[in-house]
Amino acid sequence: MFRKQSTNCRSVTILKIVNQIPRGKIATYGGIAKVCGLINQARIVGYVLNRLPTGTDVPWYRVINTKGKISFEKNTTEYKQQKKLLEKEGIVFKDGRVDRCRYDWLRSEKFT
DNA sequence: AATTTGACCAGTA
DNA sequence: CTACTGGCCAAAT
């Protein structure tokens, strides 16, 4: 069942945004935070994603850090899992980094 | 109650 | 490019 995720309204907003990330696109922790009106609070985003239940419908794997990389260590299972899911959606990794054009959807649309 | 930790970031040097 | 700093704040200890 659902563990109590957070009674906090911020996490609800964050999850809402993450759910809106288009397939094959990428968002950054800071970008999500900004859209939620939370400047310099990217850690909250990471924290919320961290405690998502396994098998959630939330596309957590489409969220990466500002360097364009996955925020897990390279040899971890989590890293491989996320990379696999992203590649499945057509994301191309170059030297452990995601192609820039993949995470510009926050900039261009209504969130500018 | 106080301190530490963490899937982070922007600025500066 | 890398390295370090200060900031932010919910959970865990």
Side-chain angles (χ1 to χ4, degrees), chain A residues 20-93:
Chain A
Q20 286 172 13
I21 304 176
R23 197 172 184 285
K25 296 281 184 174
I26 291 299
T28 62
Y29 297 97
I32 302 286
K34 218 179 269 182
V35 168
C36 295
L38 307 169
I39 310 292
N40 279 353
Q41 290 177 320
R43 311 182 74 154
I44 306 296
V45 178
Y47 206 93
V48 170
L49 294 187
N50 182 34
R51 50 189 255 91
L52 283 171
T54 39
T56 178
D57 50 336
V58 178
W60 57 269
Y61 52 87
R62 296 188 188 137
V63 184
I64 59 176
N65 64 30
T66 195
K67 297 174 203 147
K69 293 183 179 174
I70 291 174
S71 293
F72 293 109
E73 299 210 19
K74 189 160 168 47
N75 42 17
T76 62
T77 311
E78 301 274 59
Y79 178 94
K80 292 173 192 161
Q81 165 86 355
Q82 184 169 11
K83 184 164 183 261
K84 196 176 225 173
L85 284 166
L86 290 176
E87 285 176 336
K88 216 158 128 188
E89 297 197 346
I91 306 292
V92 177
F93 283 84

Side-chain angles (χ1 to χ4, degrees), chain A residues 7-21:
Chain A
T7 50
N8 200 304
C9 59
R10 299 188 233 234
S11 21
V12 175
T13 312
I14 289 169
L15 293 178
K16 212 180 268 187
I17 300 295
V18 174
N19 266 318
Q20 286 172 13
I21 304 176

